[in-house]
Amino acid sequence: MKKKTFCPLDCFDSCAIVAQVEDGKAVKLYGSKDHPITNGFLCPKGYRLLEKVYSKERVTTPLLRVKNEFHQISWNQALDMIAEQIKEILKKYNSSAILYYSGDGYEGYLRNIERLFFDYLGGATYSEGSLCWGAGLLAQKIDFGNSLCHSPFDIFNSNWIVLWGRNALWTNLHLFYFVHMAKKQGKKVVVIDIYPTETFKVADIGLIINPGSDSHLAYGAIKYILENGKEDREFIEKYTIGFEKVKEIASRLTYEEIEKKCGVNKKDIENIANIYIQRPVSTFIGYGPQRYTNGVNTIRTIDYLVAISGNVGIKGGGSNFAHRFTQNIASIFKNDTKAVNKRFYNKAKLGEYLKDQQNPPVEMVYISAGNPVSQCPDSDLVFRELQKRFVVVVDMFLTATTQAATIILPAASFLEKEDVFVPNMWHDYIGVSEKVIENIGKSKSEVEIINELAKRLDLDFPIKSEKEWVEYVKAHFEKALNIKFEKHFVRATKMEVPWEDKLFATKSKKFEFEDEKMGVAVPSIDEERALKNQLRLVTVHSQKTLHSQEFFERRPVAIFNIEDAKRLGIGNGDKVLLYNGCGSFVAEAVLRQCIKRGYIIVEEGFQNQNIETINSCIFSKTAEMDSQAAFNSNFVFVKKVAT
């Protein structure tokens, strides 16, 4: 028997999956051939999802911590304890004394029922800001009014494809496939990154720049385009505001300054500029370039380059960062009229918020689909603060965060529930997922858990089954998007080229170089400076994990330049301690000549049995307007340690 589902991972591709079921057990997963994006294949992580579903390490019954040891309890006991804790909090304070943390560990739409539950409770302390992409989203909201992508198939209308800080082979495999097919049609590819990633193998031109210097490169190309009169004057004059200030900034900038900041030569800058005027040019921006304190500024300057070169609103063009096509659709899983006590914390500053918030204090934390001890900055502080509170964690596995939990609730996997999957990163194919297998152990879905809690608290809450919620969500999107679910997926917008009519979603209805609050983006490096013997710490996504979800065995390695290592007395394979005033982390040194001097690369998400994570070394800094965590604006000392 074949069942149809969707990949639950927080990923650009949002793949359609076919599950082969025999005697009630899923025995194989493969990519749906009738889905135009998935195209019959999955990434290595997708193929190994079945191993996680049937893993012996899964939490399959509720657990209660007693004197730092976990003991199995029944669902009734667990839910009764949680409900009683909530009632006690409501007697002392109000519902905002409960903090709700929802991560990106599961991308099914029905998980948002948790937010609706807390709204009906009176509102909670909810998250704002981002750990992943908030700076880029804010940048494109300022420039365009929203962040939208061209159809994946529009890439075949391009002359050049630019992958700017996007290691597509590891993080967006189906885009990599589209790029590969486009190359067969004669399209050319540029890859820009801070080190030679695996995606460089598809590049006709590969350019390595210094971390955080992207805005200088973008402005350098703008400067060259303007000096040679190659800008799209019609687009600039008719459909933009604030251009003259950009022109003024570019004219004052020197190529010598750009060369120094970026670590490239003038010829490289000219090459990038000349590529952009060979329009149409399709640009795909990764999430790395905006993980700095100047992240919003950085993405805006890349948008500027795309706009000035005439690559906005044309086939084969675009500044593709995210695809928020549902932005203006009201959520059915929010009820602001009932959430009278809601307040907000910044995800990048979770530890600080828990430490400082007193009015009312956070008495309880409810964590679902997330691992904040591993993923949030200053993870040691996050762990210490969670330990002081009544913490509920809904998860399939024991994680760094569950080590601080009071109660762990076993989560159902994506194969054990029905759901709707709404992508918003690259394409717009909404999918409906069947229940493939019966729940393993005593695991429950978010809908089942919330229904039980709502009953115990006598809330006037809309109790529905998963199937009923799926039908409700489908009807909601069918009406909002004028679509019809005739099979297990449907294309939501049929948007081939965003902004083709040149009517932008900004206040002025034009592309805005200048913003009322943030002004004009400028070429800049984040303001942080290294102390003597410090290296900039850059954390990157791994091919073997999705954030802290491990799919393959790996060891923590710190990759840096051979000359830096020699200066610090470190050899290849040595155990090294990375440390600063925030915390420390031990990794294995890997030395490479191709890594530029002055920084060190570590894969994100790693956690060991001692709850040690690389985020122990990351201060809770943020990009502009607290839009997201500035992971890469941190510096560490490095020293060899005894093995």
Side-chain angles (χ1 to χ4, degrees), residues 167-187:
N167 186 5
L169 184 59
W170 282 14
T171 64
N172 194 179
L173 183 60
H174 291 83
L175 170 60
F176 186 87
Y177 172 74
F178 276 54
V179 172
H180 178 71
M181 297 304 294
K183 278 182 66 72
K184 287 187 174 182
Q185 295 184 10
K187 316 301 182 183

Side-chain angles (χ1 to χ4, degrees), residues 285-301:
I285 308 171
Y287 295 165
Q290 37 103 67
R291 289 161 63 100
Y292 301 83
T293 56
N294 65 332
V296 177
N297 182 87
T298 294
I299 302 306
R300 291 183 69 199
T301 60

Side-chain angles (χ1 to χ4, degrees), residues 164 192 207 209 213-221 258 262 269 272:
W164 198 315
I192 302 170
L207 184 61
I209 64 174
S213 67
D214 308 76
S215 61
H216 278 85
L217 178 61
Y219 252 102
I258 300 168
C262 293
I269 301 165
I272 296 300

Side-chain angles (χ1 to χ4, degrees), residues 298-574:
T298 294
I299 302 306
R300 291 183 69 199
T301 60
I302 299 173
D303 288 346
Y304 289 3
L305 173 58
V306 174
I308 288 169
S309 60
N311 285 292
V312 169
I314 65 170
K315 289 183 178 181
S319 185
N320 301 282
F321 177 80
H323 198 33
R324 305 286 280 176
F325 63 91
T326 61
Q327 178 175 275
N328 297 321
I329 299 176
S331 172
I332 60 177
F333 289 119
K334 283 186 181 180
N335 190 319
D336 288 330
T337 61
K338 290 186 177 293
V340 293
N341 298 312
K342 67 176 179 288
R343 62 182 179 183
F344 296 91
Y345 69 95
N346 191 290
K347 269 191 174 181
K349 300 177 179 180
L350 174 60
E352 292 179 8
Y353 187 90
L354 290 172
K355 181 180 178 182
D356 298 337
Q357 184 58 41
Q358 298 295 329
N359 189 27
V362 174
E363 295 278 295
M364 174 179 168
V365 181
Y366 190 98
I367 300 170
S368 178
N371 187 0
V373 171
S374 168
Q375 295 297 289
C376 287
D378 202 349
S379 54
D380 293 350
L381 177 61
V382 173
F383 181 75
R384 291 195 302 270
E385 290 301 320
L386 288 177
Q387 282 188 309
K388 300 174 183 178
R389 293 163 170 84
F390 187 96
V391 176
V392 179
V393 178
V394 184
D395 210 311
M396 291 172 57
F397 295 93
L398 295 177
T399 66
T401 299
T402 63
Q403 300 308 307
T406 309
I407 292 177
I408 303 172
L409 301 180
S413 75
F414 77 110
L415 295 183
E416 297 159 49
K417 52 192 173 185
E418 297 180 63
D419 215 327
V420 180
F421 288 85
V422 185
N424 53 22
M425 296 169 69
W426 175 42
H427 67 80
D428 59 358
Y429 288 85
I430 299 177
V432 179
S433 177
E434 296 182 88
K435 181 167 182 172
V436 175
I437 59 174
E438 293 303 312
N439 292 41
I440 292 176
K442 298 178 180 179
S443 63
K444 290 184 183 294
S445 70
E446 293 85 354
V447 170
E448 292 173 309
I449 295 170
I450 292 305
N451 282 346
E452 290 298 322
L453 283 175
K455 291 174 185 176
R456 281 168 169 77
L457 293 164
D458 295 320
L459 292 182
D460 179 24
F461 184 81
I463 304 293
K464 301 179 190 292
S465 67
E466 284 171 24
K467 187 176 294 293
E468 289 173 325
W469 274 121
V470 166
E471 292 305 315
Y472 193 83
V473 170
K474 285 168 59 179
H476 175 68
F477 280 116
E478 284 181 339
K479 182 178 180 180
L481 295 167
N482 192 28
I483 57 175
K484 187 69 177 176
F485 286 90
E486 296 177 344
K487 50 184 177 178
H488 70 292
F489 66 86
V490 61
R491 186 160 185 212
T493 68
K494 297 180 174 59
M495 180 189 299
E496 300 297 324
V497 180
W499 322 120
E500 192 168 20
D501 58 3
K502 306 301 189 293
L503 288 175
F504 297 92
T506 57
K507 185 177 179 180
S508 67
K509 303 302 181 185
K510 295 185 176 184
F511 179 94
E512 296 189 357
F513 289 106
E514 185 174 13
D515 178 64
E516 290 179 0
K517 292 183 179 179
M518 296 190 64
V520 174
V522 299
S524 67
I525 300 291
D526 60 25
E527 296 178 357
E528 305 300 324
R529 294 289 182 268
L531 300 175
K532 185 178 180 181
N533 289 331
Q534 276 192 323
L535 300 175
R536 181 187 288 272
L537 175 62
V538 177
T539 57
V540 298
H541 292 300
S542 171
Q543 185 185 31
K544 298 180 177 181
T545 70
L546 206 297
H547 304 306
S548 65
Q549 297 184 63
E550 303 280 348
F551 290 87
F552 300 85
E553 287 189 15
R554 60 175 180 151
R555 66 187 195 280
V557 298
I559 307 171
F560 52 113
N561 180 272
I562 292 174
E563 296 303 317
D564 282 333
K566 188 182 297 183
R567 176 173 55 84
L568 297 170
I570 294 169
N572 197 50
D574 285 347

Side-chain angles (χ1 to χ4, degrees), residues 5 94 141 158 206 239 250 267 289 399 428 537 551 578-579 617:
T5 184
N94 61 53
K141 184 177 181 180
S158 306
Y239 307 113
K267 188 65 177 176
T399 66
D428 59 358
L537 175 62
F551 290 87
L578 283 58
Y579 65 99
C617 300

Side-chain angles (χ1 to χ4, degrees), residues 46-306:
Y47 283 119
R48 299 195 75 159
L49 282 167
L50 208 56
E51 296 176 28
K52 297 184 75 66
V53 171
Y54 289 109
S55 170
K56 294 180 180 179
E57 301 298 318
R58 271 191 70 173
V59 176
T60 57
T61 188
L63 300 174
L64 172 68
R65 180 191 298 281
V66 179
K67 294 183 178 179
N68 283 329
E69 290 186 358
F70 285 115
H71 298 268
Q72 293 186 3
I73 57 174
S74 69
W75 268 104
N76 281 334
Q77 288 174 308
L79 293 168
D80 286 347
M81 290 179 66
I82 296 168
E84 287 303 314
Q85 182 69 20
I86 292 173
K87 290 176 182 177
E88 288 299 315
I89 289 171
L90 295 181
K91 288 178 184 177
K92 291 171 61 179
Y93 305 108
N94 61 53
S95 56
S96 68
I98 302 170
L99 184 144
Y100 170 50
Y101 182 100
S102 179
D104 295 305
Y106 173 70
E107 288 299 291
Y109 195 77
L110 294 195
R111 72 183 176 121
N112 293 305
I113 194 174
E114 295 167 338
R115 168 63 186 259
L116 186 64
F117 166 77
F118 286 111
D119 280 355
Y120 269 77
L121 197 63
T125 299
Y126 299 123
S127 67
E128 60 184 1
S130 169
L131 297 181
C132 187
W133 62 346
L137 291 180
L138 177 57
Q140 295 212 316
K141 184 177 181 180
I142 291 170
D143 299 338
F144 299 97
N146 192 11
S147 186
L148 296 172
C149 285
H150 286 231
S151 160
F153 300 95
D154 187 54
I155 199 172
F156 299 107
N157 294 317
S158 306
N159 290 327
W160 283 87
I161 301 160
V162 179
L163 301 175
W164 198 315
R166 190 137 155 182
N167 186 5
L169 184 59
W170 282 14
T171 64
N172 194 179
L173 183 60
H174 291 83
L175 170 60
F176 186 87
Y177 172 74
F178 276 54
V179 172
H180 178 71
M181 297 304 294
K183 278 182 66 72
K184 287 187 174 182
Q185 295 184 10
K187 316 301 182 183
K188 299 294 185 181
V189 179
V190 178
V191 179
I192 302 170
D193 219 313
I194 62 171
Y195 72 106
T197 68
E198 291 297 309
T199 299
F200 272 63
K201 65 177 62 175
V202 80
D204 295 287
I205 296 176
L207 184 61
I208 300 172
I209 64 174
N210 292 332
S213 67
D214 308 76
S215 61
H216 278 85
L217 178 61
Y219 252 102
I222 290 169
K223 178 181 178 68
Y224 183 84
I225 289 171
L226 296 178
E227 286 177 346
N228 289 274
K230 299 296 184 179
E231 70 274 18
D232 186 339
R233 293 303 309 178
E234 181 181 4
F235 176 78
I236 292 169
E237 291 172 2
K238 288 185 178 181
Y239 307 113
T240 75
I241 60 173
F243 168 72
E244 289 304 319
K245 290 188 178 180
V246 176
K247 182 178 180 180
E248 181 183 345
I249 293 167
S251 67
R252 295 199 307 263
L253 190 66
T254 67
Y255 289 111
E256 291 76 18
E257 182 181 357
I258 300 168
E259 289 176 319
K260 182 179 179 181
K261 297 290 186 182
C262 293
V264 300
N265 57 48
K266 186 181 177 183
K267 188 65 177 176
D268 293 325
I269 301 165
E270 293 175 354
N271 283 342
I272 296 300
N274 282 320
I275 285 165
Y276 269 93
I277 60 179
Q278 296 177 51
R279 55 182 180 262
V281 178
S282 181
T283 303
F284 294 88
I285 308 171
Y287 295 165
Q290 37 103 67
R291 289 161 63 100
Y292 301 83
T293 56
N294 65 332
V296 177
N297 182 87
T298 294
I299 302 306
R300 291 183 69 199
T301 60
I302 299 173
D303 288 346
Y304 289 3
L305 173 58
V306 174

